[in-house]
Amino acid sequence: MAVQKEDRRIRRTKRLLRQALAELMNEKEFKDITVKEITDRADLNRGTFYFHYTDTYDLREKIEDELVRDFKAVISSYSPTPEDYSARQMLQQAVAYIEEQKFLIRTLFHSSSVGDGLQSKFTDVIEDTITQVQTRLNLGESGQQAKYICRFCSSGIIGCLNMWLQERSGMTGQTLIDCLDNMINRAIVIS
């Protein structure tokens, strides 16, 4: 019993620290955020922070790693057949997960530089998933062209998801899924 209470407290503490970091990242540059600001915002002491993380960069990296791990797990069940190929299942899973974690993912996407951060990691997960499906179903070209198609699709998906999150437009998740599914199917199947 004592272990469950401890686990719950640890989860709560980490959730508070994550939330505090995300809120602060919406107010200022990540590099300017201090541990003291995070712990003040989370209403925790600095010793608690240092029990779990070495610094702000460690906190951010662990948050991103957890989001990537969960994102990968969510879309790992994507398994179309040659007769019924569609990216819709993967897109539905991706959009549902992103909607659950919207504030945190939007913040981390917005603060990422090109080539690093959460956007790049999510792009890699989608690219790996598409590559596996392409190989398994023997879709389209192989070799170098297939790599370019996968990069095009994965970058396009993440780019559109990021735009959707940042704009906070009236577009529903379902409309986004329909649009992306149509584009991805054309790029992968026609090639």
Side-chain angles (χ1 to χ4, degrees), residues 10-26 38 41-42 44 49 53 59-60 62-67 69-70 97 100-101 103-105 107-108:
I10 290 171
R11 284 193 309 270
R12 181 184 174 277
T13 297
K14 289 182 175 183
R15 186 178 65 248
L16 290 170
L17 293 170
R18 287 167 51 143
Q19 183 69 23
L21 177 63
E23 289 172 4
L24 287 164
M25 287 175 68
N26 278 299
I38 294 170
R41 180 72 59 104
L44 298 167
F49 179 93
Y53 308 103
L59 171 59
R60 181 178 175 162
K62 287 186 174 149
I63 291 169
E64 288 182 359
D65 290 347
E66 182 181 330
L67 288 168
R69 184 188 67 238
D70 292 348
Y97 178 73
E100 285 175 18
Q101 300 291 332
F103 180 71
L104 189 56
I105 291 172
T107 300
L108 291 169

Side-chain angles (χ1 to χ4, degrees), residues 1 19 30 99 135 177 179:
M1 283 266 199
Q19 183 69 23
F30 171 74
E99 283 182 320
T135 301
I177 290 166
C179 181

Side-chain angles (χ1 to χ4, degrees), residues 9 12-13 30 35 64 72 113-114 120 142 179 188:
R9 286 192 312 255
R12 181 184 174 277
T13 297
F30 171 74
V35 171
E64 288 182 359
K72 185 182 254 183
S113 305
V114 175
S120 179
S142 60
C179 181
I188 291 176

Side-chain angles (χ1 to χ4, degrees), residues 63-96:
I63 291 169
E64 288 182 359
D65 290 347
E66 182 181 330
L67 288 168
V68 169
R69 184 188 67 238
D70 292 348
F71 184 66
K72 185 182 254 183
V74 163
I75 67 170
S76 68
S77 65
Y78 173 52
S79 185
T81 63
E83 300 78 32
D84 184 29
Y85 177 78
S86 173
R88 183 170 298 280
Q89 177 193 4
M90 177 185 66
L91 295 168
Q92 287 171 328
Q93 293 163 332
V95 168

